[in-house]
Every structure is written in structure tokens, then in C-alpha cells.
Amino acid sequence: MKFFIDTANLGQIREAQELGVLDGVTTNPSLMAKEGITGKNNILKHYVDICNIVEGDVSAEVISTDFDEMIKEGEALAELHDQIVVKIPMIKDGVKALKYFSDKGIRTNCTLVFSPGQALLAAKAGATYVSPFIGRLDDISTDGLNLIAEIRHIYDNYSFETQILAASVRHTMHVIDCAKLGADVMTGPLSSIEGLLRHPLTDSGLAKFLADYQKGN
Ligand code: G3P
């Protein structure tokens, strides 16, 4: 299972990279705005800065909703760095753009996916990644994890190569449940990754080992 961090914060990206378990980064226009990164040139530069910190895939989202504009924007993003994956929204022109990029060998991440039908369409169009937003489904009393299970089932039926990128992961249990369900990738905040390492018995066990060592020395 690949671990992506879902942020545009360079400090957190560095911290996750230093932990040694990071496989990539996802961003979106809201995450960029949260870090105060605005204006086309600053945003493009920020993507390159992120690529220079991590070794894996970095999703960069188009903001156009029209096919021709998406293609222009996506091609410019892909040219920025070979780690860039073009993030395309699940809309009609987006499906056409996924197919276009897939035919050209440009990697894509289909975002804002909330149903198995949308995920099927993304796979048919040749998306590299599909991003079901599990936290946002949970927010409206719909089981986000069930969507991961449904997509896994459908993709396995037909051996689709599109990777399931569980997105809108909010906490550590989401990460564990996505792993149980066979998501190929998860993207979440740094806290969802760091939560995996904590256990009170580890802390108390280590404290005792160290105290016992001190007694004998
Ligand atoms: O990866 C998708 C993500 O950026 C959305 O997360 O927490 O805003 O639902 P959230």
C-alpha cells in the first residue's frame, strides 16, 4: 500500500519524507490556498518545490472544466516535472481528458469520485489513479469505506489497472480500514500516518526497558 500525504505544506511533506515511508503527495486548490499559495506562477513553482522534496508521484490539479482548456493546462503541468500526475475532476469533459492523457502516456488522478459508477468510468477512460473521497461521504452519513470495497470488487472483476487512491482520509483508522479493503494507495494528513506508530504499551514497555537498564549500570 502506498502512502501519500494530502497537503501543500512543505514542512509536513519534509517531515513525512524523513520518516521514510512516503510514496507521494496529493494537493488540491483548497490545500494550496490554505498555505497561502495563490497565483498561477506561484502554484506551479510550489509543485516543483514539492517534487524536489519527495521521490514519488505528486498530483497537480487542473482548474479548467472545459476539455480543451484541461488538455492545455494538464500538458503544462505534466511538463513541469516527471513526478507530476495530472489531477482531473470526474465530470464529462474530465472523462474525455482522462482518455486523451491516457492515450498520450500522461499519468492522471481522477478526483472527486463518490460512486462506483464514477470509478468504473475513470478506469474505462484509463486513469492511473481514482480518488474516492471517503471522509466526505462519512460526513453525509454514507459509508465511505464501503465505496472502497465496491470499487475494489469491480476493478478485480475486470483486472483494471487503475489504482484505488483512498482520498479524504481523515484519521488513522481510515488508513487501517483502507489497507484491510485493499486500497492501493491512501492519502491523508501527516497525523493519520503518525497515528499508526503510537501505542501506550510501546511507550510503557520502552520506559521499563530503559529503567531496568539503568538499574543494572
Ligand atoms: O484527498 C482529497 C482531500 O484533499 C479532501 O479531503 O478532508 O477536504 O475531505 P477533505
Side-chain angles (χ1 to χ4, degrees):
M1 186 192 204
K2 291 189 218 168
F3 279 10
F4 289 179
I5 188 169
D6 195 28
T7 184
N9 182 292
L10 298 184
Q12 290 186 12
I13 293 170
R14 253 183 228 108
E15 215 173 317
Q17 175 66 27
E18 281 163 13
L19 194 57
V21 297
L22 192 66
D23 301 294
V25 178
T26 51
T27 59
N28 62 39
S30 307
L31 292 171
M32 283 285 184
K34 192 174 163 195
E35 299 307 319
I37 313 296
T38 54
K40 191 178 165 191
N41 290 342
N42 290 334
I43 291 173
L44 296 184
K45 180 187 171 302
H46 204 71
Y47 284 135
V48 176
D49 289 345
I50 294 173
C51 290
N52 289 334
I53 296 172
V54 300
E55 280 162 24
D57 291 347
V58 175
S59 287
E61 187 158 345
V62 299
I63 42 129
S64 315
T65 52
D66 158 85
F67 175 77
D68 292 326
E69 289 302 312
M70 271 190 221
I71 299 308
K72 226 184 287 170
E73 212 187 322
E75 281 178 340
L77 288 170
E79 270 173 26
L80 277 180
H81 200 284
D82 59 10
Q83 285 167 242
I84 294 282
V85 174
V86 181
K87 207 171 178 188
I88 306 275
M90 173 39 78
I91 55 175
K92 197 167 181 180
D93 280 29
V95 174
K96 294 180 194 171
L98 289 171
K99 175 74 175 115
Y100 174 90
F101 285 126
S102 159
D103 288 346
K104 289 200 82 177
I106 292 176
R107 292 172 310 138
T108 53
N109 174 358
C110 180
T111 189
L112 290 166
V113 165
F114 294 94
S115 77
Q118 291 178 322
L120 179 55
L121 212 43
K124 289 282 295 172
T128 312
Y129 296 104
V130 66
S131 286
F133 277 34
I134 62 173
R136 290 193 192 183
L137 282 170
D138 290 353
D139 287 344
I140 57 157
S141 311
T142 303
D143 187 354
L145 288 167
N146 187 49
L147 177 59
I148 301 295
E150 289 181 302
I151 300 173
R152 182 73 284 155
H153 186 90
I154 291 169
Y155 282 12
D156 288 351
N157 277 350
Y158 299 99
S159 304
F160 281 123
E161 283 176 10
T162 300
Q163 296 177 55
I164 302 173
L165 195 174
S168 186
V169 159
R170 301 274 175 77
H171 49 72
T172 302
M173 270 317 291
H174 269 158
V175 179
I176 294 166
D177 286 331
C178 284
K180 285 185 190 167
L181 292 168
D184 300 289
V185 192
M186 79 83 200
T187 190
L190 182 60
S191 58
S192 68
I193 298 173
E194 289 188 336
L196 293 167
L197 65 85
R198 296 198 189 98
H199 198 287
L201 290 179
T202 304
D203 297 340
S204 59
L206 181 61
K208 177 142 174 46
F209 285 157
L210 296 180
D212 287 346
Y213 173 83
Q214 286 304 332
K215 276 184 220 158
N217 288 281

